[in-house]
Amino acid sequence: MKLYLLRGYNFFYFSMFAMFLSFLPLYFSEKGISASEIGMILGTGSIIGVISQPLWGMISDKYKTIKVVLLILLTASIGLGILLFSVSLLSAAFALTAAMYFFLMPADPLTESMNYRLAEKSGVSFGSIRMYGALGYAVSSYIIGYVGDQYGMESFVYLYAAYGVITLVLCVSLPETPAAGKPVAWRDMLPFFRDKRTIQFLLLVLLMAIPHRMNDSYVGLYVQSLGGGVGMVGLAWFIMTLAEVVFFGLIHRFIRPGRELQIISLAGVVYVIRFALSAWWDDPVAIVWLQLLQGLSFVLFYAASIQYLYTLIPEQWKATGQTILAMLLFGVSSIISSTVGGWLFDWIGGPGLYVCMSVLSFIGVCCGLLIQNNQKRIRGT
């Protein structure tokens, strides 16, 4: 397989993803929608995502194809996204955002599953592929911020369409990726869901994901509330995802089998520091540069979570397992973080919101260490 096609697909897919995830709240704010209303829109979309992500993952596993499902999801997402970045009515924003969550968000875990399998097949590390997605996110964030400052947010629709079409063409060029090599049976999932380690792990991921997703949703509005422009928001996301690029390229050196929970707890400590400093400093430039900690926090948390998940789930359900993880990261956690975060932003302001995020991350660290100690004690008995 020509790896440059897979890397190019990651670059442009995550560029398209950046517009939806990072800049949609700014676009809505420009149209006069309040933070709490934005939170309701994103929260409603996240509810749809909770349903759609496992649904499309199971379809992929059942028919043993990732590529075909991705092509369906991307085609729908391009059309819906063009409409979304053309509307200003609150009712239309609600409906189109919900539809985007149904089609675009499930493409993320399937893309990650495809990356993992094709990287394994080609004899390269997952990080060496995924880092191009982070690079695309970084470069596009800077471009989107610059274009937004120079030409206004009405230009977003053209950028989204361009990124989407290129992504679709590259996806067509990729080889088929079977979602499973063994027959699928529902009973294979029962030991996974009955395992106490699974329940503890999923709850830990949810707890850690809530403050992370609050930052994703409201860092742009926070920077703007401190006096920064769209270009500065784009710079924040550029720095954030450039840090991801570096750490995705090095991540295989940090995570060893059996140490995943330690790494997740370490990532939680970085989240605590990052969000506490964000609450303390009221300079938008400082908030922008704090996004450098995204590499240590998110990449360690995400990569360790994937590796730990794959030790728990049956081989033939890995694509479904990936969607379960994504459902928590971008679904259930988003319902809570978007609605509660928007309400907190309007009520106690950005600094108060970031204090709450730091406290939640600290609780996550404590829970991660507790789970790790419990598992050590069980192995020792």
Side-chain angles (χ1 to χ4, degrees), residues 7 40 61 99 105 107 112 114 183 187 197 208 219 239 272 278 288 319 324 339 376:
R7 288 167 175 156
M40 288 297 296
D61 281 329
M105 299 308 285
E112 300 290 30
M114 179 179 67
R187 64 178 178 272
R197 295 176 304 162
M208 297 280 285
V219 65
I239 291 173
V272 172
S278 296
V288 167
I324 293 172
T339 53
K376 283 182 178 180

Side-chain angles (χ1 to χ4, degrees), residues 90-170:
L90 184 61
S91 58
F94 259 106
L96 289 170
T97 301
M100 283 289 286
Y101 268 88
F102 185 81
F103 288 103
L104 181 60
M105 299 308 285
D108 178 62
L110 291 175
T111 292
E112 300 290 30
S113 182
M114 179 179 67
N115 287 339
Y116 189 91
R117 292 177 181 277
L118 291 181
E120 191 175 49
K121 182 179 179 180
S122 302
V124 299
S125 68
F126 167 77
S128 69
I129 300 298
R130 183 56 175 80
M131 66 183 290
Y132 281 85
L135 183 61
Y137 207 118
V139 173
S140 66
S141 295
Y142 187 82
I143 293 173
I144 296 164
Y146 175 80
V147 170
D149 267 348
Q150 296 296 317
Y151 304 103
M153 295 190 192
E154 290 76 14
S155 60
F156 282 4
V157 62
Y158 303 108
L159 276 176
Y160 183 86
Y163 284 131
V165 170
I166 295 173
T167 301
L168 188 64
V169 170
L170 288 170

